[in-house]
Amino acid sequence: MSITVLKPGLLSSFQDLGRKGYQHLGVPVGGAMDSRAHRLANLLAGNPQDEATLEITLSGPTLRFDSPACIAIAGAALGPTVNGKPVPNNRPLVIRQGDVLAFGARTAGLRAYVAWHGGIDLPVLLSSRSTYLRGGFGGYKGRALRTNDVLRLRSPLDGPDLDALARELWNIKIYLPAPLGLAPRSAVRAMPGAHTSLFKDKSVDDFFSSEYRISPQSERMGYRLEGNTLELKSNAQLLSEATSFGSVQVPPDGKPIVLMADRQTTGGYAKIAHIASVDLPAIAQCMPGDALGFMPVELQEAQALDMQREEAFEQLCQALAPVRRLLQGD
Amino acid sequence: MPRVNDAVPQGWTVVPQGDRALLLVFGDGIAVEVGRRCAAAAAALRQAAIPGVTDVVPAFNSVAVHYQPRPSCSGAAFRQLADEIESVLACTLDARQAPAAGRQIEIPVCYGGQFGPDLDEVAAHCKLDAADVVRLHSGQSAYVFMLGFAPGAPYIGVHDKRLAIGRRPTPRTAVPAGSVAIANLQTMIYPNVSPGGWHIIGATPSILFDPAKTPSTLLAPGDTVRFVPVSPDEYLALKQEQEREQA
């Protein structure tokens, strides 16, 4: 019924689609940084899309399975292995009792997501199983994994013939619809906002045409960017107001910060643009040191792209019905 | 600021904030009347339970509505939602009608000394005695405009103009939980140990945020607060009581 953490990895925390409905109380949404990969992992493991997955960063954990399970890994290519043998991303994988899941060298991306069929037994706090690291609550004891932590499966895989199950799952052809892939982008799409006109014209031009570099001081709360500094036309103080995932705020030092999953619910800095939701997973997979550019997109187009991705998830969900039947059927 | 719907006669604009949120803006500047309209609009929108809306976040002069894409409104999600919001507000938000009052909550504060290391500095800056600062801060009830900064952290105001002081030039890296701090005629109470740039004039034993409780926060936007001065002994007694309750 359990999984033992042999090594915790760099930063491994449980995340779901976030703590929605509490922002007016100052509670950050949190949730998966790359919600696309999180949802993929869940669907491939036969789960609903909002089940908590383990978000692992750069250098993954080593986990020993003390009971059988079905898992799926999606997102960054972090060299996953089971008992030392490489296993693929984007497939349901049957894990036997005693197996060890480990990660090796990164070849692409930053964050991978491990979903367990049936989920891990974690308390629901304010409608979510997401870990809010800064607040110290949610997920597994409100923190990242540590050595010797024991994770409990909510509904263990107890079918008699794991080999047959593994074979049948392997025989299911899985095609990811194109909008669910993560094509590398030289520039992410961003919309001007209500504050954009407060910036000097040159700063707006710089933002949309020059290259930025992701600073080492970037984490789940925000990505700090190095590059051309951005200036306001006047230094009038703004009143604090709500922020969004992907808002690009500019503090007085002129260095933009892209607000990410664990962002504060409100802020008082001017926001030069808002990144299209469809491109947020691409940023979530960027490493400190990576280059990043921005290109303008119209609201209508951003929403159409967002909707296309939602429809692709709907298609995939229907296509994976055989996986769910196999996992739930025995 | 682009105005989306000019047909609505009275005071607010709807502007997109990216592709999954929009902002309703009610007037500018900090004023309790504007804050109350924001709180009333937020309450009406929450009540309306518009499909796809996940969060409604009032602030000083704005209300943010966070939403999820809905298959039914492909390509025009913002427009459609903006129209739905306009009709909810047009029905429920009448400028002539005073919005329902929030709760009235007393917050005990031990002012000065180790609990309020900046009290004397604030008094000197405002050309007042420390006792005057306490009297002015606790003598008037104040309004909870919004929660932000941290879970359960309230922005409370507007205080007497004689308490005018900006932020500290250099923020502290760690402010103790429960610190009651002022800046720009407002009070912030720090629910947890966190960095902070406001002037700490006291501390409260009240617990501002407990995720395991319902509701999880002591305050909500729209509430009215009165700060009640307590002695260090009373502070410690209240704090022990709170801790026993939590255990």
Side-chain angles (χ1 to χ4, degrees):
Chain A
M1 289 274 300
S2 64
I3 292 145
T4 306
V5 178
L6 302 182
K7 284 186 198 160
L10 189 65
L11 177 65
S12 309
S13 73
F14 284 97
Q15 300 294 340
D16 57 18
L17 291 176
R19 203 157 261 120
K20 298 195 175 88
Y22 298 91
Q23 289 189 70
H24 64 292
L25 301 178
V27 180
V29 179
M33 290 281 272
D34 178 352
S35 66
R36 178 200 59 92
H38 158 89
R39 295 165 74 184
L40 268 180
N42 266 332
L43 286 177
L44 292 163
N47 285 339
Q49 298 180 27
D50 60 352
E51 185 56 68
T53 62
L54 188 65
E55 179 180 276
I56 68 182
T57 316
L58 188 56
S59 127
T62 303
L63 306 174
R64 188 187 68 224
F65 286 70
D66 303 319
S67 58
C70 175
I71 66 166
I73 306 166
L78 301 182
T81 57
V82 171
N83 301 331
K85 289 199 193 91
V87 291
N89 274 12
N90 300 336
R91 291 252 15 143
L93 304 166
V94 172
I95 308 284
R96 274 77 167 179
Q97 186 171 351
D99 282 357
V100 173
L101 172 68
F103 292 83
R106 175 188 90 99
T107 48
L110 176 60
R111 296 168 219 272
Y113 294 80
V114 184
W116 278 261
H117 177 67
I120 296 291
D121 188 17
L122 301 167
V124 175
L125 214 52
L126 302 174
S127 313
S128 167
R129 293 188 172 90
S130 284
T131 316
Y132 177 40
L133 295 162
R134 195 171 286 256
F137 66 88
Y140 184 87
K141 302 186 178 179
R143 58 167 172 78
L145 291 188
R146 291 180 193 156
T147 302
N148 294 329
D149 281 347
V150 175
L151 315 171
R152 295 201 176 279
L153 291 166
R154 219 165 41 241
S155 49
L157 203 60
D158 54 4
D161 194 343
L162 291 176
D163 290 335
L165 176 64
R167 230 175 9 253
E168 287 181 75
L169 282 173
W170 195 254
N171 286 335
I172 296 175
K173 296 219 168 13
I174 295 172
Y175 299 103
L176 294 190
L180 300 187
L182 197 63
R185 297 196 63 83
S186 58
V188 297
R189 291 161 285 200
M191 286 151 276
H195 295 169
T196 307
S197 61
L198 303 177
F199 287 87
K200 289 183 177 168
D201 294 345
K202 183 183 181 303
S203 290
V204 178
D205 288 347
D206 281 349
F207 177 75
F208 282 112
S209 63
S210 66
E211 193 176 84
Y212 284 89
R213 208 159 278 282
I214 295 168
S215 136
Q217 287 171 296
S218 296
E219 30 95 46
R220 284 185 45 88
M221 198 169 168
Y223 273 30
R224 286 168 186 273
L225 305 180
E226 308 280 358
N228 279 323
T229 55
L230 306 174
E231 286 177 64
L232 291 167
K233 285 174 183 158
S234 76
N235 56 0
Q237 296 283 305
L238 295 172
L239 291 178
S240 281
E241 62 182 29
T243 60
S244 302
F245 195 165
S247 295
V248 185
Q249 69 173 24
V250 182
D253 68 4
K255 293 180 180 175
I257 302 172
V258 183
L259 300 181
M260 300 297 282
D262 280 353
R263 71 199 173 278
Q264 288 179 15
T265 55
T266 59
Y269 297 132
K271 293 165 268 194
I272 193 161
H274 304 273
I275 291 165
S277 296
V278 75
D279 285 347
L280 290 173
I283 298 196
Q285 294 295 353
C286 284
M287 293 271 293
D290 284 354
L292 192 63
F294 300 93
M295 57 183 280
V297 65
E298 297 279 336
L299 174 63
Q300 287 270 103
E301 195 191 341
Q303 293 195 323
L305 290 165
D306 199 16
M307 190 54 59
Q308 265 173 33
R309 181 170 284 169
E310 289 304 306
E311 283 160 1
F313 267 115
E314 193 50 45
Q315 276 172 29
L316 180 68
C317 188
Q318 282 166 21
L320 289 174
V323 171
R324 291 193 294 278
R325 267 200 302 278
L326 273 177
L327 289 168
Q328 285 150 14
D330 52 336
Chain B
M1 223 177 261
R3 202 186 158 90
V4 166
N5 191 343
D6 288 307
V8 177
Q10 71 210 13
W12 64 81
T13 53
V14 185
V15 289
Q17 173 165 294
D19 53 21
R20 290 193 178 185
L22 57 77
L23 219 53
L24 306 166
V25 182
F26 297 80
D28 36 29
I30 299 178
V32 172
E33 303 78 62
V34 176
R36 282 199 202 285
R37 262 173 91 61
C38 292
L45 290 170
R46 207 166 280 131
Q47 176 100 38
I50 299 171
V53 169
T54 57
D55 281 272
V56 180
V57 190
F60 292 105
N61 63 338
S62 66
V63 177
V65 178
H66 296 267
Y67 60 96
Q68 295 288 311
R70 280 187 286 168
S72 64
C73 49
S74 49
F78 168 72
R79 222 19 261 214
Q80 185 172 329
L81 183 60
D83 289 346
E84 283 175 75
I85 287 170
E86 292 285 8
S87 65
V88 168
L89 295 188
C91 290
T92 54
L93 213 59
D94 186 333
R96 291 158 299 181
Q97 196 186 323
R103 302 167 303 164
Q104 302 217 354
I105 292 171
E106 292 194 341
I107 295 185
V109 180
C110 184
Y111 288 95
Q114 65 174 112
F115 300 102
D118 300 336
L119 180 64
D120 292 333
E121 220 177 290
V122 170
H125 178 271
C126 299
K127 301 190 169 62
L128 296 166
D129 289 339
D132 293 327
V133 174
V134 173
R135 190 172 49 77
L136 289 171
H137 190 252
S138 60
Q140 244 180 353
S141 51
Y143 181 76
V144 179
F145 283 94
M146 57 185 276
L147 268 54
F149 179 69
Y155 289 79
I156 303 168
V158 188
H159 298 310
D160 191 289
K161 287 198 170 52
R162 282 169 284 180
L163 292 178
I165 188 166
R167 291 167 193 239
R168 292 171 60 80
T170 310
R172 288 185 170 88
T173 52
V175 167
S179 292
V180 175
I182 65 170
N184 301 325
L185 298 181
Q186 295 162 51
T187 295
M188 160 62 66
I189 310 175
Y190 294 91
N192 295 101
V193 179
S194 57
W198 296 30
H199 305 269
I200 306 169
I201 59 170
T204 179
S206 297
I207 290 164
L208 277 289
F209 178 71
D210 181 349
K213 271 198 175 158
T214 309
S216 56
T217 57
L218 176 68
L219 300 171
D223 287 344
T224 300
V225 164
R226 199 170 188 102
F227 297 106
V228 180
V230 296
S231 69
D233 286 346
E234 285 170 311
Y235 169 90
L236 291 171
L238 286 166
K239 196 160 176 72
Q240 276 170 10
E241 202 178 296
Q242 292 272 16
E243 278 159 10
R244 266 199 306 276
E245 248 176 63
Q246 271 208 315

